[in-house]
Amino acid sequence: MHLLFPQAKAGEAPRRYTVMLAAFEGWNDAGEAATDAVKYLSRLWESHKVATVDPDLYYDFQFTRPVVHRTGSGERRIKWPTTKLTRSSVPDAPVDIIFVHGVEPSYRWRAYTAELLAHAEELGVDCIILVGALLADVPHSRPIPVTVTSDDDDVRRALNTESSQYEGPTGIVGVLADVASLAGIPTMSVWAAVPHYVGQSPSPKAELALLHRLEDILQVPLEVSVLSEEAEAWERGVDELATEDPEVAAYVRQLEEAKDTAELPEATGESIAREFERYLKKRRKE
């Protein structure tokens, strides 16, 4: 098991760890990659609802409007923008996941984050993983960059990562990370960089990159073959669109050259070791 979730010592009863995994639609969710990744794991591990957040307290419904939809029986229902908490147990691992999937609130952010942390305390959460996606100057034809940061010393040592150096406007992910850290809950943020020229949803390649990083953090092999095919199809589609516009094609080549130059040392280092470790774990599971 990962250093983040140490195994019980000899003679001690095995312990289960509870992780809150959260993503929010809106400003923090380029290409909907973050929320799609969380929803993918929620479906994969068959989570069940444990709590919701009252939408009337936090949303401007003229800005984030409710949606009318039909049920399987044909009945019309209104779906309100809200935040839902679900729970699942990860198969073959001593980890329970509390999934938080919501829409970034319109106001009262401090009360909103306090309510989420109250649920975290009630559900026995040991650490929080916040997932986000941002638009960036990266090429679609190269691996999607995923950054993991934390202000918690133990988390940084366990994952060999650093604290965030970002300064500027933030979303609910940044606010929740700050409040959770002040509350003493180990917290980390996992962000994918989505190519800004294809930032519309869905973004399966960015979603897949986030899932691979979460796979590394949780040390749980994931079945992502279908999503891998979708990511490859997405990349081929963007390739075709880029070739139709000489200016876009030239811009993509410029991004590729910058990316290749910046990450050349990594091609023979940690990234290859991480991919090989993931391959071995899947082979052992099979």
Side-chain angles (χ1 to χ4, degrees):
M1 179 57 65
H2 202 286
L3 289 174
L4 199 61
F5 313 116
Q7 292 180 332
K9 298 179 181 179
E12 293 181 349
R15 186 197 162 181
R16 295 196 66 82
Y17 291 85
T18 302
V19 177
M20 178 174 276
L21 183 62
F24 300 88
E25 297 176 21
W27 195 78
N28 315 269
D29 193 25
E32 298 183 3
T35 51
D36 282 348
V38 169
K39 287 188 285 187
Y40 183 95
L41 293 178
S42 179
R43 291 191 302 267
L44 179 67
W45 293 329
E46 299 178 349
S47 67
H48 60 278
K49 186 167 70 174
V50 293
T52 57
V53 174
D54 185 355
D56 287 349
L57 299 175
Y58 305 110
Y59 295 98
D60 178 351
F61 296 131
Q62 289 185 324
F63 177 75
T64 309
R65 290 186 177 272
V67 177
V68 176
H69 72 104
R70 291 192 177 274
T71 65
S73 60
E75 296 178 294
R76 286 165 50 99
R77 290 286 184 269
I78 292 181
K79 182 179 180 182
W80 296 90
T82 188
T83 300
K84 181 172 66 174
L85 286 76
T86 63
R87 184 171 197 151
S88 67
S89 296
V90 180
D92 304 319
V95 180
D96 293 332
I97 305 291
I98 306 296
F99 293 102
V100 178
H101 172 227
V103 180
E104 184 175 65
S106 305
Y107 35 68
R108 301 187 70 219
W109 283 19
R110 284 177 288 189
Y112 178 84
T113 52
E115 185 168 343
L116 286 180
L117 291 184
H119 284 300
E121 183 178 1
E122 180 182 350
L123 295 167
V125 168
D126 294 295
C127 72
I128 298 176
I129 302 176
L130 300 166
V131 186
L134 72 160
L135 298 177
D137 294 331
V138 295
H140 71 279
S141 53
R142 297 294 185 268
I144 295 293
V146 177
T147 303
V148 180
T149 60
S150 177
D151 289 330
D152 185 276
D153 292 338
D154 292 335
V155 172
R156 288 202 302 270
R157 282 193 293 268
L159 299 181
N160 190 27
T161 188
E162 298 179 354
S163 59
S164 174
Q165 302 302 310
Y166 173 76
E167 293 181 287
T170 190
I172 196 63
V173 169
V175 173
L176 183 55
D178 182 67
V179 175
S181 178
L182 292 174
I185 303 176
T187 304
M188 72 194 78
S189 298
V190 183
W191 284 83
V194 178
H196 70 89
Y197 54 92
V198 280
Q200 66 274 18
S201 63
S203 187
K205 189 171 181 179
E207 177 188 353
L208 183 63
L210 284 169
L211 288 172
H212 280 322
R213 198 66 184 97
L214 292 172
E215 184 179 42
D216 294 335
I217 293 170
L218 298 173
Q219 291 290 284
V220 178
L222 299 177
E223 173 50 56
V224 292
S225 56
V226 174
L227 185 58
S228 296
E229 295 174 359
E230 293 177 3
E232 291 172 0
W234 176 87
E235 185 171 337
R236 289 194 299 271
V238 178
D239 284 340
E240 294 174 2
L241 291 174
T243 56
E244 296 174 0
D245 189 322
E247 291 186 4
V248 173
Y251 178 62
V252 171
R253 285 194 298 272
Q254 178 184 342
L255 292 177
E256 289 173 340
E257 291 172 1
K259 180 74 172 177
D260 293 344
T261 301
E263 297 199 348
L264 186 60
E266 187 183 357
T268 57
E270 183 180 345
S271 62
I272 292 179
R274 191 162 54 235
E275 289 297 325
F276 185 62
E277 183 179 4
R278 183 181 296 120
Y279 167 77
L280 291 178
K281 288 176 181 174
K282 289 184 177 180
R283 285 292 301 271
R284 286 197 294 269
K285 184 177 180 181
E286 292 171 358

